């Protein structure tokens, strides 16, 4: 699912900081509220676009007294948000560096609210679409800045779980949207769609108001040479005094990390595609394609077009079924958050891909082989769609984003992350735009209907193969140790090598690993100069 979390930066809580400092966890977990903006907006449009009141305002009379929109209009309205988020994600990095992490998030909320206001006041498709674009810009910025803030401020020992909370917030937003849509769908006037649309102002206000009260990222402040402010910020996050020795030790570690970045020098986007000793090209392409495969699981088909799909499958109350699928999505993300730092990233992705492909093939076969009027077939279809969502929510939903933030080398991490995030939004846009043409009946459409699940099942086979050959196990490793892992082994043999690295990191400590890695970089650079 797009808009999920990206774990970047070193985090806090190293250097002997105890694991019972919950202030930082709660503060950074609050930032995950940004996920509700994306999740709710995605869920709202999926239900709003089939409401009679919305269709009367934006659709055309089909001659039989019913109002409808064309396939092209449906594609545009749904997918244009992702076009906005693509550019918003690219704008987020410079905004975060200029305004800071927390004030960048506040600014993104203002852009999002402006987009919601345009949608509320629209009486024709063009203005509604422009509103969707601005809302997308805001969501795109939030999708980069919130996980960046979380990963730089949350304790290292629980970084994966904290950053995964952003994905959980997305699922909660989807659920809230389906509940509100279900409550207002039968209203006879424009309030049917304006109420669920306008509620988005509340989410933006809560996130902006809360973030304005939270401390800025200590890592950002150190980078801006504001050491005194960084000490105060870190003290708030760890419930300590700014003069506490643990705070000083933590700030020293952050400075060591930044020195390592500076000594490696500035990098360009071209550097992300160089074949080097630490496999930069392989790692960057792995992150980009991991985001593509996450979208190709077909999950957003359910959340963008699920109401329409269930309606055409003969199910009498598609809005209620949409609520049920979102309850599953919210509930099953929790085990994923719990398992990510216990069972491991790679194994969960493999299990998730296998489970999803089985469920999607069953949905496709049942949908094709049995009549829409068959009540038992409808129940089977709904059950396996829910199981499919459960596999995604517990695995590929949160984990793909955490991995994306972990696998990039230090000197290209920010740029590689921005490309991976943009890849997710680009595929989100493409799939959102193409899906109506694939499933809708009528001239110029493929009219696949439920047969589209054969496509999603086949792409999950691709997810399985890709994970096996390209994604290593990174559970329990620092970002520096992950860099060492890529240099010395392959994803297939990563589980055994990871155990060696954990033992080595416990002996050297995070700063020692950084210095060792920096030494390797200099040694390799020297070898390169001599060869030239």
């Amino acid at each position: 699912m797009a808009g999920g979390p990206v774990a970047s930066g070193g985090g806090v809580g190293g250097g002997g900081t105890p694991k019972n400092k919950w202030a930082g966890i709660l503060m950074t977990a609050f930032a995950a509220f940004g996920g509700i903006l994306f999740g709710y907006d995605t869920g709202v449009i999926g239900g709003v676009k089939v409401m009679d009141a919305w269709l009367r305002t934006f659709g055309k009379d089909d001659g039989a007294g019913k109002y409808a929109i064309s396939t092209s209009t449906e594609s545009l309205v749904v997918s244009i948000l992702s076009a906005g988020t693509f550019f918003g994600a690219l704008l987020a990095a410079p905004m975060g560096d200029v305004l800071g992490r927390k004030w960048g998030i506040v600014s993104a909320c203002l852009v999002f609210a402006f987009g919601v206001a345009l949608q509320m006041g629209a009486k024709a498709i063009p203005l509604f679409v422009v509103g969707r674009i601005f809302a997308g810009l805001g969501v795109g910025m939030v999708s980069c800045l919130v996980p960046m803030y979380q990963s730089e401020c949350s304790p290292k020992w629980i970084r994966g779980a904290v950053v995964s909370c952003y994905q959980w917030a997305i699922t909660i937003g989807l659920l809230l949207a389906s509940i509100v849509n279900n409550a207002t769908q039968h209203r006879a006037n424009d309030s049917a769609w304006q109420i669920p649309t306008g509620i988005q102002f509340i989410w933006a206000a809560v996130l902006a108001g809360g973030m304005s009260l939270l401390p800025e990222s200590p890592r950002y402040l150190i980078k801006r040479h504001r050491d005194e402010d960084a000490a105060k910020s870190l003290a708030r996050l760890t419930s300590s005094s700014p003069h506490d020795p643990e705070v000083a030790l933590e700030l020293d570690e952050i400075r060591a990390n930044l020195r390592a970045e500076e000594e490696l020098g500035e990098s360009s986007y071209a550097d992300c595609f160089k074949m080097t000793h630490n496999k930069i090209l392989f790692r960057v392409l792995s992150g980009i394609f991991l985001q593509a495969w996450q979208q190709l699981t077909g999950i957003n088909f359910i959340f963008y077009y699920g109401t329409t799909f269930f309606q055409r499958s003969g199910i009498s109350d598609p809005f209620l079924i949409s609520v049920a699928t979102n309850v599953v999505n919210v509930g099953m993300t929790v085990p994923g958050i719990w398992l990510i730092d216990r069972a491991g990233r790679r194994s969960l992705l493999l299990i998730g891909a296998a489970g999803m492909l089985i469920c999607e093939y069953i949905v496709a076969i049942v949908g094709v082989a049995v009549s829409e009027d068959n009540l038992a077939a409808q129940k089977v279809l709904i059950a396996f769609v829910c199981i499919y969502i459960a596999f995604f929510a517990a695995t590929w939903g949160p984990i793909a984003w955490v991995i994306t933030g972990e696998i990039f080398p230090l000197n290209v991490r920010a740029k590689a992350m921005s490309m991976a995030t943009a890849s997710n939004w680009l595929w989100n846009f493409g799939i959102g735009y193409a899906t109506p043409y694939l499933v809708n009946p009528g001239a110029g459409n493929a009219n696949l209907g439920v047969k589209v699940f054969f496509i999603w099942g086949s792409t999950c086979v691709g997810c399985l193969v890709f994970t096996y050959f390209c994604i290593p196990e990174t559970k329990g490793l620092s970002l520096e140790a992950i860099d060492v892992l890529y240099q010395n082994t392959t994803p297939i043999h990563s589980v055994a090598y990871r155990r060696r690295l954990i033992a080595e990191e416990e002996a050297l400590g995070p700063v020692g690993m950084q210095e060792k890695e920096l030494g390797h970089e200099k040694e390799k650079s020297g070898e390169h100069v001599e060869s030239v």
Side-chain angles (χ1 to χ4, degrees):
M1 184 180 302
V6 178
S8 67
V12 301
T17 304
K19 294 185 178 182
N20 61 350
K21 300 290 189 180
W22 286 96
I25 296 174
L26 295 176
M27 290 183 197
T28 51
F30 171 81
F33 195 88
I36 289 182
L37 269 69
F38 174 73
Y40 187 90
D41 191 83
T42 300
V44 157
I45 199 61
V48 159
K49 68 183 177 61
V50 298
M51 289 183 181
D52 291 337
W54 189 86
L55 291 170
R56 281 196 303 271
T57 301
F58 298 100
K60 295 181 179 178
D61 193 332
D62 62 3
K66 291 191 69 177
Y67 288 82
I69 55 175
S70 66
T71 296
S72 60
T73 300
E74 182 181 17
S75 292
L76 181 65
V77 166
V78 172
S79 64
I80 199 65
L81 179 90
S82 299
T85 54
F86 175 82
F87 292 103
L90 296 178
L91 287 171
M95 177 177 284
D97 284 338
V98 173
L99 298 179
R101 297 355 179 189
K102 81 168 189 174
W103 292 114
I105 293 170
V106 172
S107 300
C109 290
L110 297 177
V111 175
F112 177 80
F114 178 67
V116 173
L118 292 179
Q119 293 175 66
M120 287 282 290
K123 295 298 179 184
I125 286 293
L127 184 58
F128 193 86
V129 167
V130 172
R132 294 274 293 163
I133 293 173
F134 275 98
L137 284 171
V139 169
M141 289 186 279
V142 165
S143 72
C144 280
L145 293 172
V146 164
M148 188 184 299
Y149 177 85
Q150 287 182 305
S151 58
E152 290 183 357
C153 297
S154 59
K156 292 180 179 180
W157 58 277
I158 200 171
R159 184 184 68 232
V162 169
V163 178
S164 295
C165 286
Y166 180 75
Q167 174 69 25
W168 191 35
I170 293 175
T171 67
I172 293 172
L174 286 161
L175 174 60
L176 291 172
S178 64
I179 291 172
V180 175
N181 281 341
N182 190 53
T184 65
Q185 61 171 310
H186 297 302
R187 284 174 169 262
N189 53 34
D190 283 346
S191 64
W193 62 270
Q194 286 179 337
I195 289 175
T197 302
I199 284 177
Q200 293 174 104
F201 285 122
I202 298 175
W203 313 140
V206 170
L207 179 61
M211 287 304 304
S212 66
L213 300 175
L214 296 185
E216 180 57 272
S217 160
R219 192 175 191 276
Y220 166 78
L221 294 170
I222 288 288
K223 192 171 185 178
R224 305 292 287 189
H225 306 293
R226 295 165 57 184
D227 289 24
E228 186 177 341
D229 290 335
K232 292 177 181 177
S233 175
L234 185 58
R236 284 189 63 191
L237 289 167
T238 57
S239 297
S240 306
S241 164
H243 306 292
D244 192 301
E246 290 179 355
V247 171
L249 188 62
E250 185 71 21
L251 291 176
D252 286 341
E253 185 178 329
I254 294 173
R255 292 188 189 98
N257 195 329
L258 289 174
R259 278 198 302 271
E261 289 183 5
E262 291 167 358
E263 291 190 39
L264 290 175
E266 290 294 325
S267 61
S268 66
Y269 278 97
D271 292 323
C272 296
F273 298 97
K274 291 182 178 179
M275 297 182 66
T276 61
H277 70 282
N278 58 349
K279 303 177 184 176
I280 288 180
L281 177 62
F282 174 71
R283 294 158 74 172
V284 170
L285 291 179
S286 294
I288 290 172
F289 282 103
L290 181 64
Q291 296 304 322
W293 284 118
Q294 191 211 45
Q295 286 300 299
L296 287 167
T297 60
I299 191 65
N300 278 331
F301 169 76
I302 296 297
F303 297 119
Y304 282 144
Y305 300 104
T307 304
T308 305
F309 168 73
F310 289 128
Q311 199 173 51
R312 289 176 179 165
S313 299
I315 293 168
S316 57
D317 195 343
F319 277 89
L320 194 58
I321 299 301
S322 181
V323 173
T325 57
N326 280 291
V327 168
V328 173
N329 194 27
V330 172
M332 289 306 298
T333 300
V334 177
I337 294 173
W338 185 81
L339 287 168
I340 190 170
D341 289 318
R342 291 170 175 81
R345 282 76 154 140
R346 175 181 166 88
S347 57
L348 286 176
L349 288 182
L350 290 170
I351 293 169
M356 286 189 291
L357 74 87
I358 292 170
C359 291
E360 288 177 309
Y361 279 137
I362 291 174
V363 169
I365 292 168
V366 170
V368 169
V370 184
S371 167
E372 292 180 2
D373 299 325
N374 188 309
L375 186 60
Q378 288 183 16
K379 291 179 179 179
V380 169
L381 186 148
I382 294 169
F384 277 95
V385 165
C386 287
I387 296 171
Y388 152 63
I389 292 171
F391 273 111
F392 177 87
T395 59
W396 279 78
I399 296 171
W401 287 94
V402 173
I403 287 177
T404 301
E406 293 178 337
I407 63 175
F408 301 129
L410 189 66
N411 57 326
V412 298
R413 187 172 295 148
K415 293 179 176 62
M417 282 170 54
S418 69
M419 287 190 290
T421 304
S423 168
N424 186 283
W425 290 120
L426 188 63
W427 281 94
N428 188 291
F429 169 76
I431 293 171
Y433 190 84
T435 295
Y437 292 101
L438 291 173
V439 301
N440 287 356
N445 300 327
N447 193 23
L448 291 179
V450 72
K451 292 191 288 291
V452 76
F453 277 92
F454 282 118
I455 295 177
W456 305 139
S458 299
T459 54
C460 282
V461 174
C463 293
L464 193 66
V465 174
F466 172 80
T467 300
Y468 182 78
F469 287 105
C470 299
I471 303 300
E473 181 54 73
T474 57
K475 180 189 75 166
L477 296 176
S478 71
L479 302 185
E480 292 70 37
I482 291 170
D483 206 41
V484 176
L485 180 144
Y486 266 102
Q487 293 180 42
N488 295 284
T489 190
T490 64
I492 295 175
H493 300 104
S494 61
V495 175
Y497 192 80
R498 168 191 155 273
R499 297 192 189 101
R500 287 177 52 191
L501 283 178
I502 288 178
E504 186 176 352
E505 188 171 26
E506 287 176 352
L508 293 177
V511 177
M513 289 294 291
Q514 288 169 6
E515 292 174 349
K516 180 180 177 181
E517 174 58 17
L518 185 57
H520 282 307
E521 292 287 344
K522 289 179 177 178
E523 182 181 338
K524 294 293 182 180
S525 298
E527 291 174 2
H528 176 70
V529 170
E530 289 176 8
S531 66
V532 174

